[in-house]
Amino acid sequence: MNRQILMGLGAIALIAVPFIGVPPYWLHIMIVILIWSFAYTGWSVMGRFGLVSLGHGAFMGIGAYGTALLWNHAGMSPWLGIPIAMALAGLFALLVGYPCFKYRIVGHYFALVTLALSEIVRQVIVATRDHTGGSLGYTPEPHGGEGYSIVALQFPEKTHFYLIALGVWMVGLIIWRAVDRSMSRYALEAISEDEDASASVGVEVTKEKLKITVLSAVMTAFAGAMYCQYQMFVSPDTVSGIGISLQIVFAVVAGGIYTRFGPTVGAIITIVLAEVLRINIAELEGLFGFKPAGLDNTIYGIMLVLFIIFLPKGVLGSIQGRLFGRSA
Amino acid sequence: MTGQASSGAAPMLVLDDVTAGYGDFQALFGVSLDVKAGEAVAVIGPNGAGKSTLMRAISGMILLKGGTVVMEGQRLSEVAPHKIVEMGIAHVPENRRLFPRMSVEENLRVGSFAPPFRAKYADRLEFVYTLFPRMKERRNQLAGTMSGGEQQMCAIGRALMSDPKILLMDEPSAGLAPVIVQQVFELIRKIRADGLTVLIVEQNVQQVLKVVDRAYLLEAGTIRHSGLAADLLGSEDIRRAYIGV
Amino acid sequence: METFFDNLFSVFFIETLLNGLLYGGVLALLSLGLNLIFGVIDVVWICYAELVMLGMYAVYFAHNVYGLPMLPACAVAILAVALLGYILHRVVIAHVLGKAPINQLLATGGVLFFLQSIATLIFGVEFLSVGVSLGSFQITEDIYVSKSQLVAFIIAAVTVLGMYLFLSRSYMGAAIRAISQDREIMILMGVDANRLYGITSAIGGGLAGLAACLLALQFDVHPFVGISFGPLVFMICVMGGLGNLVGGFIAAFVFAQLIATGSYFADLEWGAVLAFCVFVIAMFIRPEGLFARKS
């Protein structure tokens, strides 16, 4: 009961954030964290069952570019465009997932096949530069007076977007919990332990894996669309390709792959870390008189390696493990 | 041959109060045994008694949790695990464990990997080929494509490449057809005839007791009985429990 | 279709195929190093291409900044990357051995980030050229072949052959092949697995260093140059069957031709897209890699 009261209070506090005069910069950081948390939660619903996809950059890219392209070229409102882009991502997941699971592509092989996928999507975006702007990036055309439009889902006011992102993030947590309490969870855990044995006791291995993969892909595509609508700019490097795919997996593992708030904690850690490093390095520039470009990512890279080696259960997973003595 | 096993000679290999296992699981609870130079000793017992664990503990595949293994006066815990083979202990693992996608000769070559053995490679190869002419015939065949009996020969050959003082054999007859099992025990006799000391783990109790001098009975990780092979073979209890006659 | 066939039989297309063949040699060298490491250590170095990138910088600095002649500069680069491979193993890989594949992938992925950004930090983002031009020579009236590509191909081919002899003739080579078939019993053969891992990492690094020398003859170096061939090398290794050296060798040439052909008919990116699509389809036909042996 205490837990529920605590959660309710937390939710009210989060809703109140934009109304108590939080500076726009902090609101911006929180929106970015919420959107990425949703994407990371989307990855973790399949990642926790040992389905390590390095291809989620592909789904993110389909969501972001699909929505923006439909709006700019076909004049289709994101209200319609986002579901279509999500369906496309789901279809793509199905198309690739089915043969993968049918032929038992697992472990290193699964990771590398999915890695190829995110690379395909990135290369297609770059190659179709006449329509997508290539590696320079792409902007959904602003709609209506002063960029505010319900039809185009464009909100220059950060408060609006914050509340939307907060709602989306909460839905993500609800989905996570629904998966956690579903029968599929037991099936998928059995599959990740021993595929043959689960198949022999009647678990439909391919079907269960496909269900969770499509769910995960659709969630990630939605996050991509959200990101694009918020930033009003996407580029292949920010929403697709290996970099993003790795970033997704890193954040989830850093936060904790087996806990509901793990992906969120991962998003907070990685984004705050990146921001702090970026800002401090801008200050160092004043100190040294030159810009130490890359120092932030250097430290970021080192910290990620240290995380993997010393906290393989993630921050939240390790803390919970210590508090409650869980061995899982 | 059995005459060399006379009392008084200092044992070559001595296990004293050995405990070992995997992670939290303990498989051996204070096992003590010894093997004298020139002797052939068997460890018999049911499935899951800890026989393979015992072999692995001696050859360094797993670390001891307690007790000591001493080879010719040298405590093996003071030797790096991969150097144990250089002490003269060769281990033919359970299920043969050849390198399936390498030829017979390449498998034998890996058996000579440790630097002290490389100089003797040609001599040992000759020795193994003389002992097992079949292996010479099959020298270029991929090990994984041979029959079970041939693979067992190759596995023993690979262990003999290091010119060991004692040969550990883990279930050499497991998974082989009855005719081949006969051949494998013939091989063991042949090896013994060369004066090599042998410690063998087997489930095929009746057969193995005919080729060894002494045997220990291992049950649930502890030694229950020990004695001369002939006496054990004659023991009603052993016969009823393990030979099934 | 007329233009298609015109294209197909043009001398430029033949030149394209030839270039693909020559590029295949370098890809084969790259996949050899990665495959060797995977076969022996059972870890995929996601950051492999970034080691190559640092090797290219090593060539540039040794040759263009410190004025060493090209050959010693290459030797320096090879040794430096070999050392780097060894350090990578001791500092990072050794800690994740036997852990879940996801953690291994991420640890080397973190190294990828680290190497890219430290290169940016130290060397900046400019494209640097070693600027050694060997020129080109004429085969027929219309077909030219770049000498640096040809040299790269020959050195790569000789190295691959040398590695083959090393693996099939030496004790160390036999142990390297053996450990990929049965890790656990190597200790019974007197093999210290950790030492073998260290040696293999250094050899794999050395091969990356050599590839870096050959690539530096043809391409500019910048911190993100690894992305242009890194994913490709992974695909090649997977398609050839991870750890299968011969399969990787053949797959390298197939991929090089796919890319050359794709980029001839459209853009370079479409060449890559074509190669990746073929890869994905191939995985569905033979999930364990096209050239994997049946177990």
Side-chain angles (χ1 to χ4, degrees):
Chain A
M1 290 314 104
N2 273 337
R3 201 180 159 86
Q4 279 177 359
I5 294 168
L6 216 65
M7 289 227 180
L9 286 176
I12 291 167
L14 282 172
I15 292 170
V17 163
F19 305 107
I20 54 169
V22 170
Y25 170 73
W26 285 105
L27 207 55
H28 163 72
I29 294 296
M30 288 187 75
I31 295 170
V32 174
I33 287 175
L34 287 170
I35 295 176
W36 281 109
S37 296
F38 181 79
Y40 298 163
T41 307
W43 184 90
S44 78
V45 297
M46 74 183 281
R48 62 180 290 201
F49 300 115
L51 294 165
V52 178
S53 157
L54 293 181
H56 272 48
F59 304 130
M60 193 115 193
I62 292 174
Y65 274 89
T67 308
L69 286 169
L70 283 170
W71 170 246
N72 284 8
H73 289 280
M76 190 181 284
S77 158
W79 287 97
L80 218 61
I82 292 177
I84 291 177
M86 285 164 70
L88 275 177
L91 195 70
F92 194 57
L94 212 58
L95 217 63
V96 176
Y98 181 72
C100 260
F101 301 143
K102 188 161 184 278
Y103 293 112
R104 300 277 175 89
I105 295 175
V106 292
H108 283 129
Y109 280 89
F110 184 71
L112 290 175
V113 171
T114 49
L115 184 92
L117 286 183
S118 61
E119 226 9 58
I120 290 177
V121 169
R122 191 182 73 91
Q123 297 273 12
V124 168
I125 293 169
V126 176
T128 55
R129 53 175 68 78
D130 293 344
H131 306 287
T132 60
S135 49
L136 295 177
Y138 193 57
T139 301
E141 278 163 26
H143 183 263
E146 306 189 353
Y148 180 88
S149 164
I150 301 242
V151 177
L153 270 181
Q154 294 169 357
F155 308 103
E157 184 65 45
K158 284 199 167 45
T159 308
H160 293 112
F161 222 98
Y162 173 82
L163 292 174
I164 294 172
L166 187 64
V168 167
W169 171 71
M170 286 177 176
V171 170
L173 295 180
I174 292 169
I175 296 175
W176 194 95
R177 204 155 102 134
V179 170
D180 194 53
R181 297 188 167 180
S182 68
M183 283 307 292
S184 288
R185 174 193 158 176
Y186 297 101
L188 285 162
E189 274 177 355
I191 291 168
S192 72
E193 289 286 322
D194 187 336
E195 236 176 274
D196 293 315
S198 339
S200 70
V201 296
V203 175
E204 294 178 86
V205 174
T206 304
K207 194 176 148 198
E208 290 294 344
K209 280 186 170 179
L210 272 182
K211 265 165 45 184
I212 202 76
T213 305
V214 170
L215 175 68
S216 176
V218 166
M219 285 175 80
T220 311
F222 186 69
M226 286 279 296
Y227 182 83
C228 175
Q229 292 304 122
Y230 173 63
Q231 299 280 26
M232 291 295 283
F233 174 76
V234 281
S235 76
D237 296 325
T238 52
V239 292
S240 75
I242 295 179
I244 290 304
S245 297
L246 276 175
Q247 181 196 317
I248 293 175
V249 188
F250 267 135
V252 176
V253 171
I257 192 169
Y258 302 108
T259 55
R260 182 161 32 143
F261 288 96
T264 304
V265 170
I268 295 171
I269 293 170
T270 50
I271 290 166
V272 169
L273 182 66
E275 277 300 300
V276 167
L277 290 171
R278 194 176 60 80
I279 292 166
N280 284 313
I281 272 143
E283 278 175 13
L284 282 182
E285 184 184 353
L287 215 63
F288 292 122
F290 70 94
K291 192 170 183 226
L295 184 58
D296 48 353
N297 277 327
T298 308
I299 298 171
Y300 188 61
I302 294 175
M303 296 191 75
L304 290 174
V305 176
L306 293 177
F307 260 103
I308 301 299
I309 293 176
F310 295 108
L311 284 178
K313 275 186 245 165
V315 172
L316 202 56
S318 300
I319 293 172
Q320 285 185 348
R322 207 151 288 173
L323 286 183
F324 307 115
R326 286 186 203 166
S327 59
Chain B
M1 292 134 259
T2 43
Q4 293 170 358
S6 57
S7 58
M12 177 185 266
L13 181 73
V14 181
L15 277 71
D16 185 30
D17 198 25
V18 166
T19 55
Y22 307 91
D24 292 333
F25 173 73
Q26 195 169 343
L28 298 177
F29 300 85
V31 171
S32 301
L33 59 78
D34 58 83
V35 184
K36 296 180 186 71
E39 239 187 346
V41 174
V43 177
I44 58 176
N47 239 338
K51 302 192 299 294
S52 281
T53 311
L54 183 69
M55 295 304 231
R56 289 162 164 256
I58 297 172
S59 62
M61 285 175 85
I62 56 171
L63 294 176
L64 301 186
K65 290 193 172 145
T68 53
V69 179
V70 176
M71 172 74 184
E72 294 186 323
Q74 168 82 53
R75 284 174 68 146
L76 293 188
S77 56
E78 290 158 2
V79 178
H82 68 276
K83 294 272 187 194
I84 287 177
V85 66
E86 291 175 30
M87 305 280 302
I89 300 176
H91 180 167
V92 185
E94 197 178 3
N95 298 325
R96 307 176 280 280
R97 303 286 285 271
L98 293 176
F99 305 110
R101 297 190 299 278
M102 293 170 83
S103 71
V104 167
E105 195 154 307
E106 285 173 326
N107 268 276
L108 297 177
R109 190 183 177 84
V110 178
S112 288
F113 175 83
F117 306 147
R118 292 183 192 177
K120 291 190 278 184
Y121 172 68
D123 288 348
R124 294 308 297 170
L125 194 67
E126 185 61 35
F127 172 80
V128 170
Y129 281 160
T130 314
L131 194 64
F132 308 134
R134 177 73 69 83
M135 289 299 104
K136 191 166 188 176
E137 254 169 60
R138 299 276 160 116
R139 60 202 292 175
N140 292 320
Q141 189 172 340
L142 292 186
T145 64
M146 295 195 301
S147 72
E150 288 166 340
Q151 290 194 15
Q152 190 63 58
M153 269 183 211
C154 187
I156 295 171
R158 185 177 63 183
L160 292 176
M161 289 302 287
S162 63
D163 195 9
K165 293 172 185 155
I166 181 168
L167 189 66
L168 311 182
M169 300 176 89
D170 194 348
E171 304 266 7
S173 78
L176 299 179
V179 188
I180 309 293
V181 171
Q182 287 298 334
Q183 290 177 6
V184 168
F185 283 105
E186 265 323 299
L187 284 180
I188 297 168
R189 276 212 180 85
K190 222 170 166 182
I191 294 164
R192 289 216 54 202
D194 280 327
L196 193 64
T197 310
V198 176
L199 177 63
I200 181 168
V201 151
E202 253 300 339
Q203 285 204 65
N204 196 332
V205 174
Q206 186 159 29
Q207 294 271 12
V208 76
L209 288 182
K210 286 178 185 162
V211 296
V212 297
D213 306 310
R214 289 190 298 125
Y216 291 87
L217 170 60
L218 187 70
E219 265 182 7
T222 36
I223 301 285
R224 294 273 185 233
H225 288 285
S226 65
L228 294 176
D231 294 347
L232 288 171
L233 205 52
S235 148
E236 267 308 303
D237 291 349
I238 302 279
R239 286 188 78 89
R240 211 175 299 123
Y242 297 106
I243 304 177
V245 187
Chain C
M1 287 322 271
E2 244 181 304
T3 47
F4 178 80
F5 282 108
D6 284 347
N7 278 338
L8 196 59
F9 292 109
S10 91
V11 286
F12 297 109
F13 186 56
I14 294 168
E15 198 173 278
T16 301
L17 291 182
L18 214 55
N19 284 336
L21 178 74
L22 296 181
Y23 189 43
V26 180
L27 288 182
L29 189 62
L30 283 167
S31 63
L32 177 67
L34 191 65
N35 249 333
L36 195 66
I37 290 158
F38 179 80
V40 172
I41 309 174
D42 203 22
V43 171
V44 178
W45 284 8
I46 294 284
C47 56
Y48 189 68
E50 278 58 42
L51 294 186
V52 177
M53 175 266 292
L54 288 184
M56 290 171 78
Y57 274 111
V59 176
Y60 176 83
F61 274 88
H63 181 66
N64 300 53
V65 177
Y66 295 103
L68 282 180
M70 197 57 192
L71 281 181
C74 286
V76 167
I78 293 169
L79 287 177
V81 184
L83 183 67
L84 201 63
Y86 180 76
I87 293 172
L88 172 67
H89 180 79
R90 295 306 297 267
V91 173
V92 179
I93 308 292
H95 298 281
V96 292
L97 284 179
K99 298 279 169 63
I102 176 174
N103 286 5
Q104 300 175 339
L105 288 170
L106 289 180
T108 57
V111 175
L112 179 153
F113 269 127
F114 169 71
L115 294 181
Q116 273 184 358
S117 20
I118 202 159
T120 311
L121 186 63
I122 300 174
F123 309 121
V125 290
E126 304 95 283
F127 285 47
L128 301 175
S129 168
V130 172
V132 175
S133 175
L134 305 177
S136 56
F137 66 84
Q138 214 170 357
I139 296 183
T140 69
E141 198 181 336
D142 296 309
I143 300 178
Y144 290 85
V145 166
S146 131
K147 273 190 192 160
S148 42
Q149 268 192 311
L150 191 66
V151 166
F153 175 79
I154 291 169
I155 292 177
V158 168
T159 310
V160 170
L161 189 71
M163 278 304 293
Y164 175 78
L165 290 175
F166 166 71
L167 289 171
S168 58
R169 301 286 163 86
S170 70
Y171 282 100
M172 192 55 80
I176 282 175
R177 284 186 304 141
I179 200 169
S180 69
Q181 298 178 30
D182 194 328
R183 203 164 298 281
E184 200 191 14
I185 65 154
M186 292 312 288
I187 205 163
L188 303 181
M189 308 293 132
V191 175
D192 180 0
N194 284 325
R195 187 164 159 264
L196 195 60
Y197 292 163
I199 291 171
T200 308
S201 299
I203 295 175
L207 290 172
L210 179 60
C213 300
L214 305 182
L215 287 169
L217 289 175
Q218 303 171 42
F219 301 100
D220 291 348
V221 56
H222 57 98
F224 301 96
V225 71
I227 292 290
S228 60
F229 55 79
L232 201 60
V233 176
F234 298 131
M235 303 312 123
I236 288 170
C237 290
V238 173
M239 192 152 136
L242 272 175
N244 178 345
L245 302 180
V246 179
F249 184 77
I250 298 169
F253 286 96
V254 173
F255 267 75
Q257 286 306 343
L258 284 173
I259 288 173
T261 311
S263 24
Y264 176 70
F265 286 108
D267 284 335
L268 183 62
E269 288 87 9
W270 285 113
V273 172
L274 177 71
F276 286 129
C277 287
V278 168
F279 163 74
V280 171
I281 293 165
M283 285 305 292
F284 296 143
I285 303 168
R286 289 291 304 272
E288 291 295 300
L290 274 189
F291 307 97
R293 298 170 197 85
K294 284 178 184 141
S295 58

